[in-house]
Each structure stands twice: as structure tokens, then as C-alpha cells.
Amino acid sequence: MSVAWDDIGGLVDAHERFLAGTLVESAVRDTVLNSWKRCRSAGLEPHQLVIPYAPDLALDEHFLRAAEPVLKGLAASLANVGMAIALCDAQGRMVQRLGGDRKLRDSLDEVRFAPGFDASERVVGTNGVGTALAERGPVFVIGREHFADCLQPFACAGAPVRDPLSGRIEAVLDLTCLRDDNDPTMLRLVHEAARGIEARLLEQSTQRERALLAAYRRAGRAAGRWPEQPAVAAAMPRDGHDAGGLSRLDLSVMREKAEELIASPRRTLDEVKLSDGRIATLLRRPVMGAAGVTGVVVEARILGGPRLRMTAPATAAEAATGVPTEPRSVAEALFAALPTPATTPTVARPPVPPPATEARSEPGRALSDEAASEPGRAVTDRDGSGDGDGGGRLVLVGEPGVGRLAVLARRRLELLHDASVRIGTTLDVTRTAEELADVTVPHFADFAAVDLPDSVLHGDEPGPLGADTPLRRVSLGAVHEESHLYRVGDTVRYVPSTPQARSLESRQSVLEPVLGAADGWLAQDPPRLERVLAAGIHSLITVPLRARGATLGVVSFYRCEKPAPFEEDDLSLAQELAGRAAICIDNARRYTREHNTALALQRSLLPRGCPEQSAVDVACRYLPAQAGVGGDWFDVIPLSGARVALVVGDVVGHGLHAAATMGRLRTAVHNFCSLDLPPDDLLTHLDDLVGRLDRAEGWAVESTQPDSGIVGATCLYAVYDPVSRRCTLTRAGHPLPAVVGPDGTVEFVDLPSGPPLGLGGLPFETVELELAEGSRLVLYTDGLIEDRYRDYDSGLKKLAAVLARADGTPEDTCEAVLDALLPSRASDDVALLVARTHALGPERVAQWELPSDPAVVSRSRAAVTDQLSAWGLDDLAFTTELVASELVTNAIRHATGPVQLRLLRDRALICEVSDGSSTSPRLRRARTEDEGGRGLFLVAQLTARWGTRYTTDGKVIWTEQPLPTAGPEQ
């Protein structure tokens, strides 16, 4: 029976909402959601994976002996079912794959779920193998629960296989089928198979213990009787070796192994490889002293070596930390109560090798009837050795309870190590808080809640925190969802009597071992917290998150499933965990502040909107990189004659310096555009500017910032004239622009690539195109088409395919391009500009060729008046007639060549007079006695803007007048 889990809780949309940054806790199982978060933190991209391959993978021979019968039985039971069995090593790399029909095997090969390929979560995302490793337990993943797109047609169940003695994961077992063939019993099957392999490993481990015990006995027989010597620690000779020929390093290693044996009551024997190649076999014995004190001793024997003297005993604290303490209390009394080897020691009989039929006995269990009948009873051998063939070296003595203390100490050290590795992997405040909750639940607490003020989330300096300060619940780690605690995203105001408020105000941790008796905690929200108590939560620790003298928030640890309440030792551990997390949260907060500052600077330097012009419809996008802001920019600049300039540029590098350099270059482009320079001349001036800025950086004092200094910049500059429908383009080391025709055909302009800005020495070339009305011109930076997974040529091909399908407005084209070519978080920043062209038709253009004869001035005035009347602009007739006659007169009087008069009716009324001279008129204030010089001054007063534009044949003097507001629609 298959289960359509894709339809439960809106899972079809939950994956997309998660990638978009929306909270989806209610729609996704905790195991899957935690895996998604880890995948996002690792930088995985759902639509593309890079899966490494390792040939000749193999598992340990003793493991394969245990696994082979179980795998054969499982494969036989699934012979008629479309499921494949995968056996992977402890790193998630597949070693074997069994079963499955041809369709399933081909599908798995296509997604690289095959022997030799890596299936760990950090490589392929959420799946049965990798997630079982990460969660360290059985998992079931189906359909859209997979993080990677290519794995969503499958369902898989995975379970880790552990060494029963050490608890270490040795391998991962997985069942995979097509999503429609899934069965809920897959999880039970794979879990039972994993337990079956572990049972066979246990049998093999028991055989190993027999071998170790035999080695221990052989070493005792070879060494002979224990010589008479006092039961005290022997002084180490100056050569660094004791009487047994052991170095300080050997003694240290043996002592560490002995501590592990004492802390592990199910283990009896172990072995240590010494520096000279010999093997020391360790045996753990229960003992009872003359005063009736019980404890544990660890003895050592070395085959082929002399009898070894004993070392000093260990207390519980020594066994837990490896550091001697004084006084030695019970352990010292126990050691003093033991007889010397010359007399008859009182020890329990060691384990006796069981017969071959008892392979299922537990490791470390005393199988001797005499020793097992009364645990801890004193038993004496005839020779006084305790094992019938000579004594061993007494390595360590432990007192009752040392195992528990040692295990707790080691677990705490492991938890702190885990916290140092897993907390602070990103510079994101929310993710760091989630990592703190993930690390502590369930190993330390059953619930962990992190509350921060909004100022910290935004990167600002936190203000004073205390009672009634609004905090936001940023993360909540939980063993189950029925806690009735505040949820993620809730605003929390703690009343003064709560442990959280007391922690914030006192800046100290607070322990509440019995929450049912904590009236101050219940006062926060009695109805809700009564339900919390009913859910089984019984103990609480609150710790303020403090870093660099500031309080950033508070973390609350709750216990529910663990019957033991928090203790004072747990309080110090919670403080250490919170202290490490607080530093990481503060680092993330500071990064957020700097990132927001740089982003705000860049946003202020980019255009805030498209200027008014009629030549093109424009849509623009800027996406900052995952690493931070960069130097990409775009611009749309209206020019004279109804033309428009389109600019896209890219300053190499990231950070504030790149953003500031981008702002300087963008300002320079605007200034050069105001001079109406041709595109190639404009880039030449910009190239010279970048070179001068680079040299100025070299003269300045050396900066400590890693991104200081201009590395380089690229730029693409295009000018489009709606009257002639011609577009002139030039580029400096920039990617090729694309032109999409009205019929959807896509072409990349064969535009010569000049050198990047700042190199100098080479000219820039231009290309002129005639564009049909409705064509789309697409300009972009290299971050759109290039990344570590895609080269330049393949990026261009994909862009062309998207543009050919995108038939719509420039806004629609931008969205289609970004959706198809960019991941959720790009590695480089991206600027994209899409412009759809318009044409200024003949009905809106009037043009006259005039001879160089003063008599034509009157005729030009009449022509202007008639044309404005035809356009319905009679209100502008007087002014325009005066402006045209003045400009025509100046051209005839001071210039050479033919004169041309042109009127354009666009968003403004444009009057242009061109001639063959390159001499530009200059505006000046005429003196009283001057006979001329007032005409151009009068033109400047009567028009909104005026200027000079140089051409290959001469120049153009142009003016602009605003159209009447009550005039006809344009």
C-alpha cells in the first residue's frame, strides 16, 4: 500500500516555500525540516548536485561477515518487490547495491545513487542514507521531502548500523523504491535488518573478547609469578622507562584505556599497542577490600615482557578527568585494603571462556558459575593470583559510581566539542540560534528556546534587556511538538518574576529543578504553563546570552523525557554552551550590521527608478551575492534628441570598496553622458578615469581592508535613437549583449571586446545595429551566466533558450531569466537590464534642409509655425519660432556646410539645428556696448535645456521645451 505523503500538509508547496525563506514547520516533519536547514547551511542547490566518486570502496571484513547473511535474507524477501538495497560506509558512500527491477536500477544510476558515489547529506541533501547518518537513527524520506530535485521521484528508508560495544556507526543500510511504490513497512524492514547485523557483530565481538582473554592468560603463564614488591607507585627512572620497559607514553595510553574500561561496565577486556610493538591486554575485575569496600581494578599483561609494577590508584574524579586529586578518599582506602602480591589478594574470578555453544553471552559478563553466583563476593585462587596462572599489573583502581561520573564527564566534553564544531557555521543570526537548539536537543535538554530582541536580528546594538522587554522566539528545538511553549516567531514579554527576566536583569544563570514549585515561572502565563507542566516538562535552566559585555538575549533549556532534573553541574555546562553560542550570535549580528550598511550604500548608489523617456520600456534587477555586496550596476540615461543610453558595468571584487568604486564610475558615466560623447569616446574617458583612480589608490596610505585597491572593471554602453531605430554599442571586457527580435529570435551581438577599464592603450570599437520596433535588448553582468558549475558558453546557451521562450514585457523577461539561471543565493552579484524599443514615427518628426542663405531664416520661421499648428502646439509657436530663427541665423553666420532644422514631438518639444562646423557656441553675458552675443542667452532663457552634440559631420545645437499640460495626449 503506497502513501501519498506529497499531499499531506501541503508538502508539494512546502519545499518551495522553504527555499523562499518562509516558515514551514507545520507542514514538514521535524526530521526532514532539520535536514533541509542543514542542506541550506551547506550551500546545496536543489537543482544541481556535484557528486564525488570513489572507486574500490570496501567495508571491514568482520563487518561483511556479519552483514552478508542478513542482506541475502532481505534480498530474498524483496525479490518480487521493486525495491533496491544499498549498503553504505560510515561516510555515506555506497559500497553495495542489491535487488530492484531494471526500471528502478536505471533511474538510480541516472541520479548517481550507485556504488562508489557519495550519498551523504552534505553532498546530495536529504535522503535515506545521508539523513540517517546525520540524525544517527532510522529515517524515512519520500518524494518532495528530498532536498534535491533529482531525488524526488523516490522513497527511501535508512538506518545506521552500529558496533554494539563502542556505539560507533559502522555502516548505513537503505531501502529505496520509486515514490509510487513506497510502503510504510520499509522503515521497519530496514531497522530490523540493521539490528540483525548488529546482533551478528555482537557475536563476533564476543569471540574477540575470548581471544583477548586467551592472550591475557598466555601473557600471565609466560611471565611467571608476581615478584614480591610493595603496593606503591614505582619511581620513573631518568631514562623515561619503568622496570617493565614502558615509556611515559605507554603508561599514559594504558591508563587512558583503563579509565575507559572502568567507565564502561559492559566491557571486560581491551588491548593496547605499545610503542615497541608489543601488545598489552587489559582485564577489568570487580574487587572487594578487607573492609568490605567494593570497586573495580584493571590489570595489564604483556606477552613476552617482564612482570610490571603497579601504578597509583584513581579516584572518581581522576577516572573522569585524568587529573589526580587529593585526598583520594574511597579509592585510596580501597587500594590500601588490597594485599600485596606476595600475600593472597582477594579478587573476584575473571571471566572464563564460555563453551562454543554459548556464543550469545554478553561481553564483559563473568561466565564462571562461582563468580556469577554472588556478584562482588571474594574468591581466592590457590596461587593467590585470582586467575590460576599468575597475576597481572594493577593499572587502575576505581570506586563505586566512577563509571557514571566518567561517562557524564565524557558526554559533556563530547557535547562541548560538538557545539564548537556545529554552532557558528554561518554568519546568520537566526541559523546560529537554530544550531544552538540542534546541538543541545536531545543530548542535553528536551527543549531549547532562544529568544532575541529584534535589534539583534537586524544587526543593531542591543539595548538594555530586562522584564517586559519584547523578545522574539528565534528557534525552538524540541523532542516533540506537544510542549505548549511559545512557537518560533512569537513575541515574548517575560514578567519580572520569571527565571528568564531574572537572568536578563542579573546577567546570571538561573536553575529551576522543579518547575511545578516555581511560582514566578507560572506567573508568566498560568493557563499555558499549566499545559506545559501537564506535558511532562519538569526542569528549567535559563542562561543570558552575553558576548563582549552586551546581553543579546536568553536561552531556556527544559527537560521532559529525561527523568533526572537539571543539577548544578548541568548549570555550568549550560553556561559554557550559551557562552560559545553568544559569541557566534554576536559575530553574526556584527556581520549583519556591516552587510546591511554596505547594502544600503550600494542601494543608494544604484538608480532608484527609471527616468522618464519614450525610447524604451525598461526593467532592471540587481541581486547581491551570497558573499556580500559587489560592484555591479546598471543605468538608463536620457540623452538629447529623444535618445537613451543603456549602461551595465561590473567592478571586480566585493565589499564597501567595490560599492564605493561603482558609485564613482556611475557618476562619471552620467557626467560624460551630459557631454553627449560618442560611445567609444565615453569608454575611453572612463578607462582613463579608472586608471587615474587606481594610481591614486597606490599613492594613498596602504589600507588594512582585504578588498582595497581597484582590481578592474568592465562596462557595456549602448545608445538607442528611436527616430532612426539605430543602436550603437561598445564594450570594455564585458559579456556580449543579446537582442531578441519581435518574432522571438535571439542573437548575441558580434561586438568586439575591448580591454577591461583601467588597462589603457587600446581603442574601443563600436557596432551599429538597426532594431525593429518591439525588439528587446538584454544587458547583464557575468554573474548571471557564469558560476563554479557553469562556464561562459553554456551560460550563453541557456540564456538564449530562456529569452526565446520569454515572450512578454521586460518585467516578465527579467523574472524568467532570473528564475532559470540563478540559484536561490548567487555566488556573485548580478545586474540585469532588459529594454524593449519604441520608434518615433514620421508623424512626430519634421525636418528641413536649409541652404546657407540668410533669406531662409524667414521661411524656417514659417515652416516651424505651420508644423506646430499641425501638432496642436500653437502655444509654443512664438517661442519655438524665435529659438529656431536664432539657431539657424547663428549656423548660417558662423558655421559651414549645409544646415538642417529638425523638430521632434516627444515628451518635450525638441528643436535641433545641425551644421558642418565643429565650433560650439558659448553662452556669455553681453556688455552694454556689445552689438551681439544676446541671442544664445535668450535661447537659454526661453527653453528648459539646451546643449551641443558633436557628430562625424559637424555638430547639433538642440533645445527642449516642456509641452503644455493641457495639450493633447502624447
Side-chain angles (χ1 to χ4, degrees), residues 618-796:
V618 176
C620 306
R621 294 289 189 277
Y622 172 77
L623 277 73
Q626 184 175 1
V629 298
D632 291 15
W633 89 92
F634 59 85
D635 228 327
V636 179
I637 306 172
L639 301 177
S640 63
R643 299 170 305 137
V644 64
L646 307 175
V647 192
V648 170
D650 182 4
V651 176
V652 177
H654 294 89
L656 286 173
H657 185 83
T661 303
M662 176 270 290
R664 299 163 82 175
L665 296 185
R666 179 171 176 256
T667 301
V669 171
H670 272 264
N671 290 334
F672 293 147
C673 285
S674 67
L675 300 176
D676 262 325
L677 296 178
D680 51 344
D681 288 350
L682 186 142
L683 283 192
T684 300
H685 283 77
L686 196 62
D687 174 68
D688 179 66
L689 173 64
V690 172
R692 285 187 282 113
L693 290 176
D694 203 5
R695 290 190 295 272
E697 292 286 341
W699 299 334
V701 178
E702 183 177 355
S703 173
T704 59
Q705 297 297 326
D707 62 349
S708 62
I710 298 176
V711 178
T714 66
C715 184
L716 174 62
Y717 183 78
V719 175
Y720 174 68
D721 186 347
V723 178
S724 63
R725 292 186 287 106
R726 302 195 69 82
C727 182
T728 306
L729 305 97
T730 186
R731 63 176 178 142
H734 205 80
L736 292 172
V739 175
V740 185
D743 58 352
T745 57
V746 180
E747 292 184 3
F748 289 97
V749 181
D750 187 12
L751 181 60
S753 176
L757 299 175
L759 298 182
L762 293 176
F764 296 97
E765 299 183 48
T766 61
V767 168
E768 190 172 281
L769 307 173
E770 184 173 336
L771 301 179
E773 185 174 7
S775 299
R776 281 170 290 168
L777 189 61
V778 182
L779 315 181
Y780 51 90
T781 55
D782 58 357
L784 180 70
I785 58 172
E786 284 186 290
D787 57 30
R788 56 181 178 177
Y789 304 109
R790 185 172 58 212
D791 60 20
Y792 180 84
D793 292 333
S794 61
L796 287 182

Side-chain angles (χ1 to χ4, degrees), residues 850-857 887-895 899:
L850 304 176
S852 297
D853 183 359
V856 302
V857 175
L887 296 180
V888 169
T889 301
N890 284 342
I892 294 174
R893 179 178 300 177
H894 303 292
V899 177

Side-chain angles (χ1 to χ4, degrees), residues 79 105 127 175 206 222 324 390 417 431 462 491 505 541 545 637 659 716 764 789 815 949:
R105 293 196 303 269
N127 72 96
L175 293 180
T206 305
H417 172 72
R431 181 56 192 155
T491 300
E505 291 181 349
I541 288 179
L545 294 168
I637 306 172
L716 174 62
F764 296 97
Y789 304 109
E815 293 298 327
R949 177 172 76 248

Side-chain angles (χ1 to χ4, degrees), residues 353-365:
T357 58
E358 294 186 337
R360 292 178 178 269
S361 57
E362 295 181 0
R365 174 184 172 190

Side-chain angles (χ1 to χ4, degrees), residues 304-318:
R307 185 68 64 195
L308 305 177
R309 290 182 293 184
M310 63 187 71
T311 62
T315 65
E318 284 183 303

